[in-house]
Amino acid sequence: MAISKKMEQAINDQINAEFYSAYLYLAMACQADDMQLKGLASWFNVQYQEEVAHAMGFVNYLQERGGRVVLQAIEQPRVEWPDAVAMFEQTCEHEAYVTSRINDLAALAVEEKDFAATQFLNWYVKEQVEEEATAADILGELRLAKDAPGAMLFLLRELGTRTFVAPVIG
Ligand code: FEO
């Protein structure tokens, strides 16, 4: 069954949203690097790579379904935050927004009885649970350590141990 035009458009919009997420986290990584906070920069660099992988998951899926990928302009992200806490506050907010977008896509798939899309989108539904939980956990720890430089340093170094593992999507 060919993918519908409506679903094709929605996936193209989501490709753009995932690349925007990649831009946003790369901007955070660059500022963290400017602040000489290597662990923080490294964490956001991994997050950036994950977002590119999410975008490519949608690109590959749309092509597999015979749809046409149309890349759109990527909006400029914010480029400055006062500190690591502010970065993770925005990360939490942004991931909640991405979850709502994924849920809308999943709802569209159900509405169209596109069960292949439903199956495919399940991966993203689960991924968003993890994305939101991880960001919330880190934000909680950073808030706790905000006025204790030693604890903050420990946390930021720990963030630097995260490595990128290419996700198997779908
Ligand atoms: Fe692509 Fe962070 O969700």
Side-chain angles (χ1 to χ4, degrees):
M1 189 179 89
I3 198 160
S4 75
K5 283 287 153 202
K6 200 168 166 186
M7 182 61 87
E8 181 186 76
Q9 181 63 52
I11 290 178
N12 271 311
D13 290 346
Q14 190 58 28
I15 290 169
N16 184 264
E18 298 289 351
F19 277 124
Y20 173 80
S21 301
Y23 253 36
L24 178 67
Y25 296 132
L26 183 59
M28 292 188 193
C30 290
Q31 195 198 329
D33 188 68
D34 274 356
M35 295 160 84
Q36 318 295 335
L37 298 174
K38 291 210 176 312
L40 186 64
S42 170
W43 194 93
F44 278 113
N45 254 309
V46 172
Q47 188 71 4
Y48 153 76
Q49 290 176 79
E50 279 209 351
E51 298 301 349
V52 171
H54 292 171
M56 289 311 297
F58 281 110
V59 167
N60 294 334
Y61 176 75
L62 193 49
Q63 288 179 322
E64 213 174 295
R65 290 289 307 274
R68 178 83 172 94
V69 173
V70 179
L71 296 176
Q72 304 164 22
I74 304 165
E75 196 188 321
Q76 184 184 8
R78 177 177 170 182
V79 292
E80 244 179 282
W81 293 265
D83 52 26
V85 170
M87 287 181 189
F88 275 92
E89 279 169 351
Q90 183 159 8
T91 300
C92 285
E93 202 177 292
H94 184 67
E95 288 305 327
Y97 165 69
V98 174
T99 298
S100 76
R101 294 191 60 107
I102 296 290
N103 288 347
D104 287 349
L105 272 174
L108 178 62
V110 170
E111 187 189 308
E112 295 197 339
K113 295 195 171 89
D114 185 342
F115 299 115
T118 299
Q119 290 273 356
F120 170 73
L121 287 164
N122 271 342
W123 185 88
Y124 285 89
V125 171
K126 279 186 262 171
E127 173 72 1
Q128 282 311 120
V129 173
E130 201 185 302
E131 290 270 79
E132 286 198 57
T134 304
D137 285 352
I138 295 172
L139 178 59
E141 291 183 353
L142 288 175
R143 278 181 174 151
L144 191 68
K146 201 173 175 3
D147 300 316
M152 180 61 88
L153 186 64
F154 173 80
L155 275 180
L156 295 180
R157 288 217 171 136
E158 199 181 66
L159 290 180
T161 61
R162 182 188 188 192
T163 53
F164 176 66
V165 181
V168 182
I169 298 174

